[in-house]
Amino acid sequence: MPRAYLKQFTPNGVGKHINLFNLARRKTINRAPLSGQCAKDYFYGKDLQIEKALGELESAFATNVRKIRSSPEHVTGEQLEDLKGFMCIQASRTRTATEETAAFMVAIEEELATTD
């Protein structure tokens, strides 16, 4: 989860800490450091190419959110489309989405192997 997104849920939008609920421990954690939340080192590999590309998208997202928050009455269609695209990308970045995609690809390969 990009920091620019989580920052919107921090006190005053400053981005230093966030309140969260740890599902595994079923415990509320107040003022947890924002850094490192919803993140995993080298999720996309150590070459960081994908991370850098995503960083550019996240930067554009952060700029868009600042503009919308400062002037919500002037939201443009382009800004909304950018936000929708960002949400689609974010939905595909989770471990679950990655595992489901991998399982889908394996199922397709198995099906194709049986049809030969």
Side-chain angles (χ1 to χ4, degrees), residues 3 7-8 10-17 34:
R3 185 179 179 128
K7 186 176 177 180
Q8 305 307 310
T10 65
N12 301 319
V14 174
K16 298 289 183 191
H17 62 272
L34 184 62

Side-chain angles (χ1 to χ4, degrees), residues 79-92:
Q79 288 171 322
L80 291 176
E81 289 303 311
D82 287 348
L83 291 177
K84 288 177 190 176
F86 185 78
M87 287 187 289
C88 289
I89 290 169
Q90 286 307 112
S92 69

Side-chain angles (χ1 to χ4, degrees), residues 33-111:
L34 184 62
S35 179
Q37 300 301 333
C38 301
K40 181 180 177 192
D41 290 339
Y42 307 116
F43 187 72
Y44 298 104
K46 292 192 177 188
D47 67 5
L48 302 180
Q49 288 181 335
I50 294 173
E51 289 290 341
K52 289 176 184 175
L54 290 169
E56 291 177 23
L57 292 173
E58 291 165 11
S59 178
F61 167 79
T63 299
N64 220 351
V65 168
R66 277 193 300 276
K67 287 178 183 177
I68 291 169
R69 290 186 80 172
S70 69
S71 185
E73 66 278 4
H74 295 105
V75 176
T76 67
E78 183 178 350
Q79 288 171 322
L80 291 176
E81 289 303 311
D82 287 348
L83 291 177
K84 288 177 190 176
F86 185 78
M87 287 187 289
C88 289
I89 290 169
Q90 286 307 112
S92 69
R93 289 182 63 191
T94 65
R95 178 180 291 155
T96 300
T98 303
E99 290 170 354
E100 288 174 354
T101 300
F104 178 71
M105 296 304 288
V106 167
I108 289 174
E109 289 173 1
E110 289 173 353
E111 182 64 27

